[in-house]
Amino acid sequence: KGIQADLQAAIHEYKASIAIDPDFPMAYLGVCQCFIYLSSGNFIDRMKGMFMAYHFLSKVGANREHIPEYDFTKGLFHFLGKWEFSIAERYFSKAIALNPNYSEAMQMMANVQMAVGRFKEAHAFIERALQLDPNAESNHFTKASISYFSGDFRIALSYLKQVTAFNSDLNRA
């Protein structure tokens, strides 16, 4: 099937959820995240995808300050969509403050830290993400990437092997 087809199917399901309950913020955030991943992965036109992501993000109601997924999604928008690292870092930090056990936010914060060359901080965030969710292939891939870019190729290879054990079709590994 592939990631593009999976994301398109998820968009369809999230939109069906919105049709049932237009006040459910998680469905809007889900659609937004799908469009961010589709555009950042070059599966669709980047400008169109980010426009659609922004459109669905703007549909989340006013009472969103207590929703860690809102801040996580805003972080994704600024990190993967606009490469605005400091803005993304603020949103991921807020998501983690709202939910200290949010492994996806930890993993993305590790990616932001890696992107700006803060490898010690990146390692700390990905270690916490791995503690919270040791079976997430994205956590293992991020650990491999951080290890690779900080020059620890042996560790990077061991984590890439774990990623391919989860999913042998994962092209980036």
Side-chain angles (χ1 to χ4, degrees):
K1 215 175 169 188
I3 191 165
Q4 182 179 5
D6 291 344
L7 289 167
Q8 294 289 356
I11 288 171
H12 176 75
E13 296 302 322
Y14 284 125
K15 285 181 176 180
S17 179
I18 290 167
I20 294 168
D21 184 359
D23 295 324
F24 183 53
M26 302 306 283
Y28 293 100
L29 295 173
V31 174
C32 177
Q33 289 177 22
C34 289
F35 277 113
I36 292 168
Y37 290 127
L38 284 168
S39 11
S40 66
N42 294 317
F43 295 113
I44 61 173
D45 177 77
R46 186 168 183 79
M47 293 301 289
K48 180 183 177 192
M50 292 310 295
F51 174 82
M52 293 303 295
Y54 183 80
H55 168 76
F56 282 98
L57 189 60
S58 70
K59 296 287 187 181
V60 176
N63 190 15
R64 58 185 178 241
E65 292 303 312
H66 68 286
I67 304 173
E69 292 83 2
Y70 174 78
D71 293 295
F72 173 77
T73 304
K74 289 278 286 193
L76 280 180
F77 184 84
H78 288 281
F79 179 50
L80 297 178
K82 299 178 85 177
W83 292 94
E84 296 172 336
F85 303 133
S86 61
I87 296 170
E89 184 176 11
R90 284 196 308 268
Y91 282 112
F92 291 139
S93 290
K94 187 173 178 194
I96 292 166
L98 289 169
N99 179 0
N101 295 317
Y102 197 164
S103 75
E104 288 177 68
M106 297 278 180
Q107 186 257 339
M108 289 310 297
M109 182 65 101
N111 277 298
V112 169
Q113 300 304 314
M114 179 177 51
V116 297
R118 290 188 223 127
F119 296 108
K120 183 177 179 183
E121 292 86 346
H123 277 291
F125 279 108
I126 199 57
E127 287 302 324
R128 178 70 176 132
L130 282 162
Q131 285 176 338
L132 293 167
D133 192 354
N135 295 319
E137 65 187 45
S138 60
N139 288 343
H140 290 271
F141 183 80
T142 298
K143 175 70 176 183
S145 298
I146 295 166
S147 298
Y148 176 82
F149 288 114
S150 53
D152 195 339
F153 304 119
R154 182 183 53 77
I155 297 290
L157 277 174
S158 73
Y159 275 89
L160 283 177
K161 287 178 184 174
Q162 290 178 40
V163 171
T164 56
F166 286 122
N167 183 355
S168 62
D169 293 334
L170 194 63
N171 291 333
R172 65 184 179 162

